[in-house]
Structures are given as C-alpha cells and as structure tokens.
Amino acid sequence: MTGDDVNLPGPREQIAGLTFALMLIGPDLTIAELNPAAESMLGRSARRLVGARLLDVVNFGEVLIADRVQKGESQIVARGLSIRIDDRPASVNLTISPLNNRPGWRVVTLSDAGQGERIGDEDRGHILRGPAVLAHEIKNPLAAIRGAAQLLARKVGQGERALTALIADEVDRIAQLIDRMQRLGREQPEPVAPCNLHAAIRRACETVRAASDLPVAIREEFDPSLPPVLANEGALVQVLINLISNARDACNSQPAPEIVIRTRFVSGFVLNVMRLGRPVKLPVEVQVSDNGPGIDPTLRDHIFEPFVSSKKNGQGLGLALVSKLVRDMDGRIGHERDEALGWTHFRLHLPLAKQGN
C-alpha cells in the first residue's frame, strides 16, 4: 500500500458523497442503512428511516414493480418511474440489486429522473446553436425584404398596399420566431439574484390577463412563509407567463375553465448541477395546474423539445425556451397528468436564495 492509498476516502465516505439516494434493504424489506442523499430525497432523517419498511416510505405506483420488490428475486432497473413519497409525487430512476453472498439483502438506488438533464446540456447546446447561427444569417435578407416592401408600398395603388402590408407583417412574424430560436441557442445564462416568487407570479398573471379577454379563473394557493428564491426575475416571469398562458389556452374550452397556482416548500429535491460540481437543493415548488383535456399522450415525453407542440398552430418553442431558462437558473421543470381528477400539473422547482438550508 502506498502513502497515497492511506489517504483515500473509505467506502462510507464515498457513499456519503453520492448525489443519488442509496439504501441497504434487509430481507424483511426494512431500511438498514442509507446515505445523506436518501435522507434528502425521502425528506426524513436517517434516525427516522432506519428500521422502516421500504414500501411504507416509498409507494411504487406500478403493481408489477411493487410485486417484484416484495419478492426480491432479481435485479430491477426502471427509468422515469412514478412513485409517491408521503403525499408528494416524484419521477425517479430506480435500481434494486441483490447481494449475491447475502440472500435477501439488496441495495436500492433512487435518483430524480430529471437529474441527468445537466449531463446532456453540452450536447443540447450544440444542437441548438446550429439553428441560432442559421437564424442570424436569415435576419439580414428578412430586413431587406421588409425594406423593399415598404418602398414598394409608396409606389403602388391603395389596392396593392394590403399585399405589401401582408409581406411586412409576415416578415415581422418570422423575425419574432427567429428571435426565440436565438434565445434557445444563447450560451451565457442570465445572472441570478434573490427574487420574490409571489411578486413574480402576480406580475405574470397580470400580463396574461392583459393579453387576452378569455374568461379563465386563476386561483392562488400560496405559502406566504416562503423565503426568496435564487432566480433571474425577468426569466422567471417569462417562464410563468408561458406556463399560465398555456394553461389558459388548454382549459378555455371547458365549461368552467380554471387555473390553480400553488407554491410550497418541499424537501428532498436535489439536482446535480455539473458545472458547479455539487448538488443544489430545490425546495421551493410552483405548480401551475389547469382542468383542460391535457397534452396528447404521444407528445408528453417530448414537450420540452424544440418544435414539438400540441397546439394546432403552435411553433413548439415556448416550452423549449421555458426548459432552457429554468436550467439556466439551476431549476427543474416537469409535468404530469392526473386523469382521475382531470387536471394537468406543471411543477417548477427552484433553489433558495440562501443555500445550505
């Protein structure tokens, strides 16, 4: 053994440093040991979790998974699994690995299904920067087309001016679309600072109400004790405007359209922010819900991707921009459909202005 080997971290230190939840489960399905990330994800201390049955702590929504956990016959690997921890839904990646030399004993890992988003950010950035560069090149001829239409309007009769106005309007529409594509490809995130979440929500609501006469009720269910979040205020308002506008459009056809905006403090949400090299807690949740018919099931796994839209004339950039702005603030965005109650929920998780709480 060399001198360097003596200073190597031990197995317990290595496990404690993992950013995903790891638990040792006994033959009777009780939790024997767990790491700090498991405490954070499950929202309880090790003292309260050791000795508790796994199935009493984690509710596996899929009967097949729960049955295989009980039997403990083989390894289990599941991605994007919907579970409930207390009354809180979560989407996780799950592995359960039997210990070959210790019958009945298993190692369980749970990680936030969105935790891997950061790993692919660099690749995603390359994909989005291509359209952004192309957009820049398109803007120059667009400006020339618009200028030519304006000059032409001065030389044609009144009847033809409607056509030149149409050209100018369509050029403006395309230019706005290109602006949004360029924002998607922007590499440098906006600076973050302490932000009053409820003030940002109310500002977004005012903007949405002013932009449309659609009679949709917006109900607020706020936790007034929430401290400031760490965000870029302008980006946060833009994210909320998009989510509330989408909710309004989604439920407008219902007999009694309604949007509910909830805020609350939740424990256990950790996102591995690779560029900082450390996990960041995301304990503040904003939920924007609507009682519309929901997103087409074939699109639900892709709605945050560019050019994917469930709207008839949608451009598919709104939620892609939302996803980018949220990632830039080290936050997380997700959605789920409650078919039983007929509600669609978008959940935004943000860090506190003061970390380490």
Side-chain angles (χ1 to χ4, degrees):
M1 180 179 293
T2 66
D4 291 338
D5 293 332
V6 175
N7 295 321
L8 288 175
R12 286 185 180 275
E13 292 176 282
Q14 295 177 42
I15 290 173
L18 296 174
T19 59
F20 55 85
L22 184 144
M23 294 174 281
L24 177 64
I25 307 298
D28 56 355
L29 286 182
T30 59
I31 301 172
E33 288 192 53
L34 67 159
N35 68 346
E39 294 181 87
S40 179
M41 173 170 279
L42 300 176
R44 304 184 198 177
S45 66
R47 183 174 56 83
R48 294 181 58 195
L49 287 167
V50 170
R53 293 187 78 250
L54 176 65
L55 296 181
D56 292 336
V57 176
V58 179
N59 181 3
F60 295 97
E62 296 186 19
V63 176
L64 178 61
I65 294 292
D67 185 58
R68 290 185 63 187
V69 170
Q70 295 236 50
K71 292 179 179 177
E73 297 172 349
S74 59
Q75 185 179 45
I76 300 174
V77 178
R79 294 183 60 82
L81 181 67
S82 296
I83 65 171
R84 297 191 76 86
I85 301 170
D86 294 328
D87 63 339
R88 170 169 52 87
S91 179
V92 300
N93 299 327
L94 165 74
T95 69
I96 301 182
S97 305
L99 299 180
N100 293 333
N101 299 326
R102 300 293 297 271
W105 288 85
R106 285 166 281 175
V107 173
V108 176
T109 69
L110 293 170
S111 62
D112 183 351
Q115 193 168 359
E117 290 178 357
R118 284 282 174 184
I119 298 174
D121 277 356
E122 184 176 351
D123 293 336
R124 185 184 289 108
H126 290 312
I127 293 170
L128 294 176
R129 282 195 291 276
V133 172
L134 179 62
H136 178 75
E137 295 302 318
I138 291 174
K139 270 192 167 183
N140 289 331
L142 278 181
I145 293 170
R146 196 183 197 287
Q150 289 174 329
L151 289 174
L152 188 60
R154 299 173 188 173
K155 299 181 179 181
V156 300
Q158 188 67 35
E160 289 81 14
R161 286 179 186 170
L163 294 176
T164 59
L166 175 63
I167 294 172
D169 289 344
E170 285 302 295
V171 166
D172 289 342
R173 184 182 66 81
I174 295 171
Q176 291 173 1
L177 177 61
I178 290 173
D179 285 340
R180 299 179 80 180
M181 290 174 63
Q182 287 181 308
R183 291 189 70 186
L184 277 175
R186 187 179 298 162
E187 297 181 55
Q188 186 64 35
E190 298 293 335
V192 295
C195 178
N196 185 315
L197 176 60
H198 295 144
I201 294 174
R202 292 197 169 106
R203 181 177 157 193
C205 287
E206 290 172 3
T207 302
V208 172
R209 288 191 179 104
S212 174
D213 295 329
L214 295 177
V216 177
I218 301 178
R219 190 170 81 244
E220 297 177 354
E221 295 182 3
F222 292 170
D223 178 353
S225 67
L226 288 181
V229 296
L230 191 65
N232 177 275
E233 184 176 3
L236 178 58
V237 171
Q238 183 61 54
V239 166
L240 292 165
I241 288 173
N242 281 28
L243 294 180
I244 297 168
S245 297
N246 286 349
R248 177 203 60 197
D249 295 342
C251 68
N252 183 54
S253 61
Q254 299 298 101
E258 186 177 14
I259 298 171
V260 179
I261 305 176
R262 297 183 177 91
T263 63
R264 64 172 184 160
F265 187 92
V266 293
S267 62
F269 281 95
V270 177
L271 178 67
N272 189 22
V273 184
M274 299 303 291
R275 70 169 180 261
L276 297 180
R278 61 182 178 84
V280 175
K281 292 184 179 180
L282 305 175
V284 177
E285 179 183 276
V286 185
Q287 178 176 291
V288 179
S289 306
D290 68 81
N291 63 345
I295 301 164
D296 184 338
T298 62
L299 299 179
R300 287 177 187 171
D301 293 337
H302 306 283
I303 59 170
F304 293 111
E305 299 173 12
F307 312 113
V308 174
S309 177
S310 59
K311 297 180 181 180
K312 184 176 180 181
N313 297 313
Q315 298 163 344
L317 292 177
L319 287 177
L321 180 58
V322 162
S323 179
K324 182 191 185 303
L325 293 176
V326 171
R327 289 198 312 272
D328 285 348
M329 294 185 285
D330 292 332
R332 178 196 166 200
I333 182 77
H335 73 98
E336 67 173 18
R337 175 66 181 173
D338 187 338
E339 294 291 357
L341 298 179
W343 283 82
T344 299
H345 307 292
F346 278 81
R347 292 189 176 91
L348 170 63
H349 294 100
L350 296 167
L352 291 175
K354 292 183 179 180
Q355 290 297 318
N357 294 338

